[in-house]
Amino acid sequence: MAVMILVAVVGAMMTDSTQSATAPATQTVTPSPPDPAAELASLVRAIDDEGANRRARLASARLLVARHPTAPDRQRAEALIAQLEAEIVEESRGAQWSYLTRTDDMSGRQSKSARVRSTNSFQFGFPYNERQHATLTLRRHPRHGNDVIFSIEHGQILCHSFDRCRVRVRFDDGPMRTLTGTEPADNSADTVFIPGYNDFVQRLGKAKTVRIEVDIFQEGALVAEFNVDGFKHDRLR
């Protein structure tokens, strides 16, 4: 009886082994390449869709030129590529600026401001030893008037009513101008008001870089550099 059971088990194992050896291998199905005519028609529809995202249209136009060099729409796609690239560059100009509109509670009128952060960072000694940036703000306020405001996150700008408050400003590669700043009404030491709003805004609209230098308590002169390219003055009107 034991011999018969052993023979049956061995036979079953041999059958399983044979089936495993003869089982067909899994076949990988290779997708067929896209139909050139159908792909071209799809790309043409994509570049003609003026409501689509600029970058999506640009990608479709580039693909059409690369994969269908003899297509009748190639020349039109090349012109569209140049147009969209220029539009995207122009659209990205000024992205570093942030604009804010709020209602002044006392007058009920709108206050508008534009703000940009310095491209360089700096670090002072204790207790202001965290790395930080400066901020340039232009503000139009219904009660306080128009202001150019320079501020840092931590530290003390040497600007007091009893002493001269020197602020040095340079637009692009132009000459440095030394102005006399004003301390805030709340006497906060991290902010200084720069005079000449109208002149500053006029120069700002033509500049790409503005450098502002102030004196910091126990740190000496600090130069903050701002990328002001793409400033939109109309957003403050």
Side-chain angles (χ1 to χ4, degrees):
M1 182 65 177
V3 174
M4 293 177 62
I5 294 174
L6 179 60
V7 171
V9 171
V10 173
M13 293 176 62
M14 293 179 63
T15 301
D16 290 343
S17 177
T18 302
Q19 290 177 349
S20 299
T22 59
T26 303
Q27 295 183 352
T28 302
V29 179
T30 303
S32 57
D35 176 57
E39 182 187 60
L40 176 60
S42 177
L43 292 173
V44 170
R45 287 194 298 271
I47 67 174
D48 287 340
D49 184 3
E50 296 184 358
N53 179 275
R54 283 193 181 97
R55 297 184 184 277
R57 292 181 70 197
L58 178 60
S60 297
R62 287 172 173 169
L63 189 60
L64 189 154
V65 170
R67 299 185 61 163
H68 303 275
T70 60
D73 294 286
R74 174 190 171 92
Q75 187 173 2
R76 187 164 64 89
E78 289 177 334
L80 182 62
I81 289 172
Q83 173 190 329
L84 291 174
E85 287 178 341
E87 290 177 357
I88 290 172
V89 169
E90 182 62 28
E91 186 180 45
S92 63
R93 286 184 66 235
Q96 75 279 15
W97 283 94
S98 60
Y99 299 87
L100 177 65
T101 300
R102 62 176 59 180
T103 301
D104 175 49
D105 292 336
M106 299 306 294
S107 66
R109 297 166 60 190
Q110 287 187 336
S111 170
K112 297 184 178 182
S113 63
R115 180 175 300 176
V116 65
R117 194 171 76 155
S118 66
T119 55
N120 63 320
S121 62
F122 42 90
Q123 188 171 7
F124 301 147
F126 181 84
Y128 310 113
N129 51 358
E130 296 180 7
R131 184 154 293 279
Q132 59 177 304
H133 292 263
T135 300
L136 174 64
T137 303
L138 291 96
R139 184 185 68 181
R140 298 193 65 182
H141 196 279
R143 290 185 298 123
H144 304 313
N146 302 335
D147 295 298
V148 180
I149 306 170
F150 175 88
S151 60
I152 57 178
E153 297 172 29
H154 313 286
Q156 300 179 48
I157 300 174
L158 293 177
C159 183
H160 305 288
S161 57
F162 54 81
D163 191 15
R164 188 176 181 186
C165 179
R166 294 182 180 86
V167 180
R168 292 161 284 275
V169 181
R170 186 185 185 197
F171 293 88
D172 290 332
D173 295 327
M176 181 189 72
R177 303 166 66 226
T178 300
L179 306 173
T180 300
T182 306
E183 63 179 332
D186 62 1
N187 296 318
S188 55
D190 56 3
T191 301
V192 60
F193 285 72
I194 300 174
Y197 174 89
N198 291 334
D199 180 70
F200 194 99
V201 168
Q202 183 179 5
R203 294 172 184 270
L204 193 66
K206 303 175 183 178
K208 294 185 181 298
T209 303
V210 173
R211 297 174 182 86
I212 298 177
E213 182 182 74
V214 295
D215 296 322
I216 305 296
F217 178 66
Q218 293 186 340
E219 298 290 340
L222 164 70
V223 178
E225 185 170 312
F226 300 91
N227 172 16
V228 297
D229 187 32
F231 168 66
K232 297 177 176 59
H233 186 207
D234 59 325
R235 297 283 299 271
L236 294 179
R237 293 173 180 168

